[in-house]
Amino acid sequence: MEKLSQFLPDNYDKTAKLAILAGKGEYPSILKDKLDALGIPNVLMAFEDETSQELWERYPDGERYCTNVGQLGHLLKNLKKVGAKYAIMAGQITPKKLFKGLKLDLKATIIMATLKRKNAETIFGAIANELSKIDVEMLDARSFLDDDLAPLGSFCGKKPSVLPEHIEHGMNIARECARLDIGQGCVVSRGTVVAVEAFEGTDVMIERAGTFGAKDCIFAKTVKPNQDYRFDVPVIGERTIRKLANANIKNVVVEANKVIILQKELVKKLAEENEIKIFGI
């Protein structure tokens, strides 16, 4: 029998309940569509001020629960209540929640106190460990999204409108930033670094890059050298393309087979309309 996704464990049980830990954006809704199409039972673990109301309304009572980002004890209790065997992270949690508005319960307070470094990977890694203690396995966030991975070569546009060495420079900067755990993206122009993605996230970085009026800009997106694909998987989508268009950035280079392109056909259409070229390397 054909495997549902190359990113699932070999012993994956299709009949078991899967919980979507849903952040912002379209990613969680797209994942639900794929799960429903495959007949995989799924429930929603929503977060206050993060998960879309539209997604919330797609689940009946008893299959949806909402907690504050810092209420780990409540999350664990809800996962046990619905009998989830698997969980998957989908969508971003607003980065500033790590500093403001985070209402930690006792369980989360204890865990945060043990972390020497506090970033998405360490925090969600600790959460995954707590999930494993109640027999809930955190899946690779690329699971079921095999067809949404960025392809190698041209995805949109025949060839870049910038020099190959400038593309290489952009990806090298992005990879180095990822290695240093600064961020996973950057904008460069003719061999000059215009902006790097850090705590503010991709959208704000692109907006900032657009204010400089630099020519022949390239947006590069990659992954960490030892990326934990259960968390913080790099994604571009419709919103990214709109931000790039507003910033007048016409060239995009992404790590092929690692970065996710959500709603590929829509992204391609929008990119073509705005003369944005997208390439996987």
Side-chain angles (χ1 to χ4, degrees), residues 184-231:
Q184 296 171 305
C186 69
V187 175
V188 300
S189 169
R190 299 177 179 177
T192 297
V193 178
V194 177
V196 297
E197 176 190 343
F199 191 71
E200 78 275 33
T202 301
D203 290 352
V204 176
M205 185 268 293
I206 291 172
E207 290 173 1
R208 179 158 47 86
T211 65
F212 299 117
K215 304 297 183 182
D216 297 328
C217 280
I218 302 164
F219 167 54
K221 189 79 169 178
T222 188
V223 297
K224 298 176 184 177
N226 297 305
Q227 182 83 31
D228 188 335
Y229 286 100
R230 296 175 300 172
F231 326 108

Side-chain angles (χ1 to χ4, degrees), residues 12 23 25 42 85 93 99-100 104 151 157 212 219 227 230 239 241 264-265 277:
Y12 179 75
N42 58 93
K85 182 175 181 179
I93 300 297
F99 294 114
K100 187 176 181 180
L104 297 177
F212 299 117
F219 167 54
Q227 182 83 31
R230 296 175 300 172
R239 189 175 63 196
I241 301 303
K264 275 185 173 179
E265 292 306 313
K277 301 172 180 66

Side-chain angles (χ1 to χ4, degrees), residues 43-219:
V43 295
L44 177 66
M45 297 292 132
F47 297 104
E48 292 176 9
D49 303 322
E50 301 289 334
T51 309
S52 73
Q53 183 64 27
E54 179 184 2
L55 180 60
W56 175 261
E57 292 174 356
R58 292 180 64 181
Y59 288 87
D61 290 341
E63 294 182 10
R64 60 182 187 183
Y65 293 88
C66 186
T67 62
N68 182 274
V69 171
Q71 303 295 299
L72 178 56
H74 288 176
L75 174 63
L76 297 173
K77 180 180 177 181
N78 292 336
L79 286 168
K80 286 194 287 187
K81 186 183 296 183
V82 298
K85 182 175 181 179
Y86 303 105
I88 189 167
M89 283 290 305
Q92 185 187 43
I93 300 297
T94 305
K96 68 180 182 181
K97 285 285 181 68
L98 295 180
F99 294 114
K100 187 176 181 180
L102 193 63
K103 304 171 185 176
L104 297 177
D105 61 13
L106 180 59
K107 175 74 74 173
T109 300
I110 293 172
I111 287 176
M112 291 290 278
T114 66
L115 299 178
K116 294 180 180 180
R117 299 175 65 185
K118 295 179 176 64
N119 56 34
E121 194 163 343
T122 60
I123 291 171
F124 289 115
I127 291 173
N129 289 337
E130 293 301 314
L131 264 60
S132 69
K133 293 176 183 178
I134 61 169
D135 296 321
V136 176
E137 181 179 357
M138 185 73 79
L139 297 177
D140 187 315
R142 297 169 297 174
S143 297
F144 310 105
L145 295 174
D146 304 54
D147 294 338
D148 298 277
L149 293 174
L152 182 64
S154 173
F155 173 71
C156 181
K158 292 183 178 179
K159 64 179 182 178
S161 58
V162 290
L163 295 175
E165 55 263 37
H166 292 163
I167 291 176
E168 183 180 1
H169 171 251
M171 187 54 81
N172 285 342
I173 294 297
R175 286 170 176 160
E176 192 64 13
C177 286
R179 184 186 69 82
L180 294 171
D181 198 23
I182 296 170
Q184 296 171 305
C186 69
V187 175
V188 300
S189 169
R190 299 177 179 177
T192 297
V193 178
V194 177
V196 297
E197 176 190 343
F199 191 71
E200 78 275 33
T202 301
D203 290 352
V204 176
M205 185 268 293
I206 291 172
E207 290 173 1
R208 179 158 47 86
T211 65
F212 299 117
K215 304 297 183 182
D216 297 328
C217 280
I218 302 164
F219 167 54

Side-chain angles (χ1 to χ4, degrees), residues 11-56:
N11 62 348
Y12 179 75
D13 181 0
K14 179 183 176 180
T15 66
K17 197 170 291 184
L18 187 158
I20 300 177
L21 310 187
K24 288 184 176 296
E26 294 298 317
Y27 189 171
S29 294
I30 291 170
L31 176 59
K32 176 168 176 53
D33 290 340
K34 291 181 180 290
L35 294 175
D36 289 347
L38 292 168
I40 295 173
N42 58 93
V43 295
L44 177 66
M45 297 292 132
F47 297 104
E48 292 176 9
D49 303 322
E50 301 289 334
T51 309
S52 73
Q53 183 64 27
E54 179 184 2
L55 180 60
W56 175 261

